[in-house]
Amino acid sequence: MAENSVEERMLELIEEICDDDVIREERDVDLFEEGLLDSMAAIELLVAIETEFGVTIAPTAVEREEMNTVNKIIYQVQIRYDAQ
Amino acid sequence: MNFYIDPAFYVFLAVAIVPAAVLGFSGHRIKYYGLAASLAFLLLLFGENVEGMLAFAAFLAIACAATFWELASWKSGQKALWKFRCALVAVIAPLVVYKIGAVFDHNLMGFLGISYITFKAVQVIIEIRDDLIEDMNFADYLYFLVFFTPFTSGPIDRSRRFAEDANRTYTASEYADLLARGIMLLLVGAVYQKVLGTVFHHYFTPAPLGDGPWWTELGAQVKDAYMYGFYLFFDFAGYSLMAMGASYCFGIKTPRNFRAPFLATDVRDFWDRWHMTLSTWLRDFVFMRAVKSATRRKLFKDRLHTACAGYMANFLLMGAWHGLTVDYLVYGAYYGVLMGATDVYQKKSAFHKRHKKENWYKVVQWFVTINVVMLGMAIFSGQMHTVVGGLIHG
């Protein structure tokens, strides 16, 4: 249940920031290459994650390659959320 | 002796690369030689400028003391935020004093490369606070700060990445590849800066508006803005490529600083391509923090407003860093507004969303962007100042 809720809430967040529901279908595409995220929007996402989940991901903690698709972003949040 | 400018520098560089190459090819670590070579180069850089040398030594002492004092607190688990704040203020203070002194034509605490060494020192202090740097070797830290190839004007490397490169040993074939790429980058950078930069600079001849028909006067101004833009790109990108190339020869893969900036399709894209190590530094350590604290305190009603304020703070700071003059502050505000406006437009405009994938739209976006960027160049170079001043004083 908890896992689903992180995933679902993350999908909502990413959808809101990317402003495109395509992210629910295409969960392994590179969001930066597709123009769905840029570096500034990615930071808004980190801030939103912190507000929503209390999970802090320092802006320089994760390389872009480890956080460039919907599934990878959810994974990064999930491991930190579970560690809490 | 100024790096990458005085011909003697290239001679010394060529000589200094020989022992680095011997170490690299024979599978030894280049770190300690690189550190010694860097200190020797900095002696050459400051030369007879005792004032600069003292200011540099003072900065180094402050940065080392503040950083390891903070690190000790984090390692012990105490994690005293006040120590973090003191350390941050201590390393930023010399740059702030220097920039304010410059307004009154005084050189206080300044030395060549003060900005770039400050960026690096600040990164370390913030990442210790973020628990990203849990331990750090003194020699690694010192080497990171004084590494001579990007010392004067960047690119701005990151300490954890730098230490990984500095501490590794390469196989002969890996090093051969690195050295070949390094020499290539040095040569391409030299052509960019010495040839192309010089050519475009030659055609940059700013002057107030004359008495000719308006279209020729406007055309002349547009030409100057473009020539300056191309000059600045080739000069700075050329320098950056050379700094990167020289680093490669020492086994350090200093990050790139430019990625075809004039192909950008909006101003956000432009800052992802222009002086990238500065824009990502500002993004990670200023924009991000400003946005975060504003969001937490709910200073603005929604994310878009917060982002706009964050852009403004970010770019005003960038302008102020270039110098506390009207031109630079206007330049910062110009991009602050543009970044926010682009964000609002792209998020709100149905027209943009409908057409953003179409080729004709991309071409229009590119055309608008390059002209907006060149107008920014005209503000930055002081050309706009000359024109506006000419209009006011007739």
Side-chain angles (χ1 to χ4, degrees):
Chain A
M1 185 61 205
E3 268 176 39
N4 282 337
S5 80
V6 168
E7 187 174 329
E8 186 46 42
R9 281 151 74 199
M10 275 309 300
L11 285 173
E12 270 167 33
L13 262 186
I14 300 171
E15 183 180 347
E16 193 188 333
I17 286 175
C18 297
D19 209 10
D20 202 327
D21 55 15
V22 71
I23 61 107
R24 285 177 184 272
E25 310 302 322
E26 312 258 341
R27 291 169 59 166
D28 286 308
V29 298
D30 187 323
L31 296 170
F32 293 95
E33 270 173 21
E34 289 299 308
L36 289 164
L37 265 189
D38 57 28
S39 46
M40 293 298 184
I43 283 150
E44 289 178 45
L45 183 65
L46 290 186
V47 174
I49 288 169
E50 188 171 328
T51 324
E52 182 78 16
F53 298 98
V55 164
T56 308
I57 304 178
T60 53
V62 187
E63 292 291 324
R64 180 177 278 195
E65 295 73 48
E66 298 168 57
M67 236 177 139
N68 57 359
T69 71
V70 173
N71 279 337
K72 286 184 196 170
I73 295 171
I74 294 176
Y75 171 74
Q76 293 289 346
V77 174
Q78 188 78 57
I79 51 173
R80 286 172 173 78
Y81 188 79
D82 292 342
Q84 277 185 344
Chain B
M1 183 189 78
N2 206 338
F3 293 178
Y4 306 97
I5 293 172
D6 286 329
F9 171 78
Y10 295 97
V11 178
F12 285 116
L13 179 64
V15 173
I17 287 173
V18 175
V22 170
L23 290 168
F25 276 120
S26 58
H28 289 89
R29 218 187 260 177
I30 308 173
K31 180 166 91 173
Y32 292 103
Y33 168 69
L35 179 56
S38 292
L39 293 172
F41 268 93
L42 293 189
L43 276 177
L44 290 170
L45 176 69
F46 295 118
E48 283 146 28
N49 177 1
V50 180
E51 225 176 277
M53 178 94 76
L54 286 175
F56 166 67
F59 178 89
L60 212 54
I62 292 172
C64 291
T67 303
F68 283 90
W69 178 60
E70 182 204 5
L71 184 62
S73 170
W74 253 253
K75 271 165 78 174
S76 72
Q78 179 202 17
K79 303 193 178 183
L81 275 177
W82 69 273
K83 288 190 180 175
F84 156 72
R85 293 194 186 108
C86 287
L88 195 58
V89 168
V91 296
I92 296 173
L95 180 62
V96 173
V97 169
Y98 165 65
K99 289 289 179 187
I100 294 172
V103 178
F104 305 101
D105 282 328
H106 283 292
N107 179 15
L108 301 170
M109 303 188 79
F111 57 89
L112 210 55
I114 183 173
S115 296
Y116 289 88
I117 200 171
T118 302
F119 290 133
K120 293 196 277 189
V122 167
Q123 173 252 306
V124 173
I125 286 174
I126 292 182
E127 289 198 341
I128 291 174
R129 204 275 314 260
D130 287 348
D131 292 317
L132 295 175
I133 297 174
E134 289 169 347
D135 202 0
M136 190 171 53
N137 175 300
F138 181 73
D140 285 356
Y141 179 66
L142 191 64
Y143 190 22
F144 172 59
L145 289 189
V146 303
F147 185 47
F148 77 99
T149 70
F151 186 83
T152 52
S153 306
I156 308 159
D157 209 343
R158 301 287 172 96
S159 64
R160 287 177 292 147
R161 203 211 64 72
F162 180 89
E164 240 172 68
D165 279 0
N167 285 310
R168 66 173 290 186
T169 53
Y170 294 95
T171 65
S173 72
E174 279 172 344
Y175 183 76
D177 179 52
L178 211 53
L179 185 66
R181 282 162 65 193
I183 292 170
M184 197 64 189
L185 288 167
L186 274 165
L187 294 175
V188 173
V191 172
Y192 267 42
Q193 192 192 53
K194 312 287 176 206
V195 182
L196 297 167
T198 309
V199 169
F200 285 111
H201 192 254
H202 178 76
Y203 292 104
F204 171 59
T205 50
L209 292 174
D211 299 326
W214 68 269
W215 64 86
T216 55
E217 292 302 324
L218 180 67
Q221 294 298 337
V222 171
K223 184 256 329 170
D224 277 324
Y226 269 78
M227 290 303 118
Y228 182 81
F230 290 139
Y231 151 71
L232 191 64
F233 168 72
F234 283 111
D235 186 69
F236 196 17
Y239 156 81
S240 300
L241 286 173
M242 287 192 283
M244 209 173 141
S247 309
Y248 275 39
C249 300
F250 282 79
I252 305 283
K253 288 185 227 118
T254 293
R256 70 191 294 186
N257 224 0
F258 291 87
R259 194 168 47 84
F262 298 130
L263 297 182
T265 51
D266 60 50
V267 289
R268 277 136 65 94
D269 189 25
F270 175 73
W271 282 104
D272 276 346
R273 296 160 169 271
W274 177 275
H275 204 171
M276 292 152 68
T277 60
L278 175 69
S279 53
T280 53
W281 190 95
L282 286 168
R283 180 193 79 194
D284 292 343
F285 300 110
V286 178
F287 178 79
M288 169 72 191
R289 319 273 154 178
V291 166
K292 226 169 157 178
S293 100
T295 308
R296 242 192 246 120
R297 290 173 204 169
K298 298 196 171 36
L299 288 182
F300 304 97
K301 70 171 185 187
D302 59 27
R303 225 175 29 233
L304 207 51
H305 283 82
T306 313
C308 288
Y311 288 130
M312 204 60 188
N314 196 49
F315 281 92
L316 274 179
L317 182 75
M318 186 204 63
W321 165 70
H322 277 294
L324 294 169
T325 68
V326 176
D327 292 341
Y328 291 137
L329 291 175
V330 170
Y331 176 71
Y334 176 72
Y335 272 110
V337 170
L338 279 173
M339 295 289 276
T342 305
D343 215 18
V344 172
Y345 172 71
Q346 293 184 349
K347 290 220 166 92
K348 300 277 179 200
S349 160
F351 183 76
H352 172 78
K353 286 178 193 167
R354 211 163 40 239
H355 299 294
K356 67 180 177 188
K357 294 234 157 84
E358 291 165 36
N359 283 334
W360 69 269
Y361 186 75
K362 286 183 189 163
V363 172
V364 171
Q365 266 197 311
W366 167 80
F367 183 76
V368 171
T369 305
I370 191 160
N371 284 295
V372 161
V373 163
M374 290 302 178
L375 182 58
M377 294 292 177
I379 300 172
F380 188 78
S381 69
Q383 183 190 342
M384 196 59 109
H385 198 131
T386 311
V387 171
V388 174
L391 287 177
I392 293 170
H393 303 296

